[in-house]
């Protein structure tokens, strides 16, 4: 499963990229606002750090203006992936952009039927929001299972990008279901590395090693 960071914070992206485990980045208008940075500038800087897809979202609601915005955004770098909302105009834009080879991430997906439409529109990625689904009394992971089933039934190439990930269990469940990608806040990705028994184990090994008086590098 690919790991994308859901953030526009450059320091966090650099830190995760240094692990060699970061496959891409997703941003949205709220994350750009939170960063306090200029959209074009920060997107360019993210694209310079990460080789994989970097999602940059259009803000227009009509197809024609979405296409104009996408035109500007895709000039930022080759790895920009245009993010469009799951609306009729968003899917029309998806179809037009993917027909000429542009990567498109269809966002704000909350049903398997919507995911089916995105696949038919040729989306590179579909972003079902599991956290927001859970927040509203639905089961986010069931949504991922349904989309996996539908996509496998027809061998759609659209990658399932689990979004709105809130905790490490969302990550594990996504991997068990066979999602292609998950995007999570840096804090959640960092938590994946941690286990109290790993820390305890290291502590014990080092204590015993010290008692031997040996050194590997000496
Ligand atoms: C995905 O691309 C979105 O940016 C993101 O995952 C939304 O997450 P949120 O529900 O925590 O805002």
């Amino acid at each position: 499963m690919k790991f994308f960071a859901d953030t526009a914070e450059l320091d966090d992206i650099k830190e995760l990229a240094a692990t060699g485990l970061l496959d891409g980045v997703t941003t949205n208008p709220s994350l750009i606002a939170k960063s306090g940075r200029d959209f074009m500038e920060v997107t360019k800087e993210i694209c310079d750090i990460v080789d994989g897809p970097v999602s940059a979202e259009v803000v227009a609601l009509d197809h024609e203006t979405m296409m104009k915005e996408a035109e500007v955004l895709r000039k930022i770098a080759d790895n920009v992936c245009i993010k469009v909302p799951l609306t009729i105009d968003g899917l029309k834009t998806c179809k037009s952009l993917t027909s000429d080879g542009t990567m498109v991430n269809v966002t704000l997906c909350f049903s398997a039927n919507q995911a089916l439409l995105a696949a038919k529109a040729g989306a590179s990625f579909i972003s079902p929001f599991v956290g927001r689904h859970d927040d509203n009394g639905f089961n986010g992971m069931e949504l991922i299972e349904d989309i996996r089933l539908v996509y496998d039934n027809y061998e759609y190439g659209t990658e399932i990008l689990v979004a709105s990930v809130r905790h490490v269990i969302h990550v594990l469940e996504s991997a068990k279901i066979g999602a292609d990608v998950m995007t999570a806040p840096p804090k959640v990705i960092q938590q994946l590395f941690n286990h109290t028994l790993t820390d305890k184990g290291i502590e014990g090994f080092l204590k015993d090693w010290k008692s031997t008086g040996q050194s590997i590098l000496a």
Side-chain angles (χ1 to χ4, degrees):
M1 185 167 71
K2 291 177 215 163
F3 281 16
F4 289 2
D6 198 25
T7 184
E9 303 299 328
L10 287 182
D11 287 345
D12 289 339
I13 294 169
K14 282 182 194 155
E15 202 176 326
L16 289 169
T19 66
L21 302 178
L22 187 65
D23 302 297
V25 170
T26 49
T27 67
N28 63 39
S30 305
L31 293 171
I32 297 295
K34 195 171 158 206
S35 77
R37 296 285 317 275
D38 175 82
F39 183 25
M40 303 297 287
E41 255 177 45
V42 77
T43 305
K44 170 83 185 102
E45 288 172 38
I46 297 170
C47 288
D48 288 343
I49 300 168
V50 182
D51 290 334
V54 174
S55 290
E57 188 161 344
V58 298
V59 288
L61 296 178
D62 66 286
H63 171 59
E64 201 183 311
T65 319
M66 279 183 193
M67 286 302 291
K68 286 184 187 152
E69 290 181 349
E71 199 47 49
V72 174
L73 295 176
R74 68 177 170 183
K75 283 194 187 121
I76 296 176
D78 288 345
N79 55 334
V80 165
C81 174
I82 306 298
K83 207 173 182 189
V84 299
L86 209 153
T87 58
I88 291 179
D89 285 70
L91 292 183
K92 275 165 77 176
T93 305
C94 173
K95 183 88 183 159
S96 307
L97 291 171
T98 52
S99 302
D100 74 3
T102 301
M103 270 189 295
V104 177
N105 176 358
V106 177
T107 190
L108 291 166
C109 170
F110 292 93
S111 79
N113 277 335
Q114 287 182 315
L116 176 58
L117 293 172
K120 285 173 68 64
S124 320
F125 301 99
I126 181 68
S127 288
F129 279 36
V130 292
R132 293 192 197 186
H133 214 57
D134 292 350
D135 293 346
N136 285 278
F138 300 99
N139 185 331
M141 297 322 300
E142 267 177 26
L143 172 61
I144 304 304
E145 279 172 355
D146 286 350
I147 299 173
R148 181 75 283 158
L149 178 68
V150 170
Y151 280 12
D152 288 351
N153 279 348
Y154 297 97
E155 298 182 1
Y156 284 123
T158 301
E159 294 189 51
I160 302 173
L161 194 175
V162 180
S164 187
V165 164
R166 301 266 201 268
H167 46 70
V168 294
I169 303 301
H170 275 152
V171 179
L172 177 61
E173 291 297 324
S174 301
K176 283 161 79 173
I177 293 166
D180 303 285
V181 192
M182 73 86 203
T183 188
K187 199 181 92 191
V188 173
I189 300 180
Q190 296 287 0
Q191 284 168 353
L192 293 169
F193 290 90
N194 301 335
H195 199 291
T196 179
L197 292 179
T198 305
D199 297 341
K200 247 181 139 174
I202 290 173
E203 199 184 308
F205 286 154
L206 288 188
K207 190 165 163 260
D208 293 342
W209 176 247
K210 207 169 169 196
S211 74
T212 70
Q214 299 179 53
S215 163
I216 295 173
L217 296 178

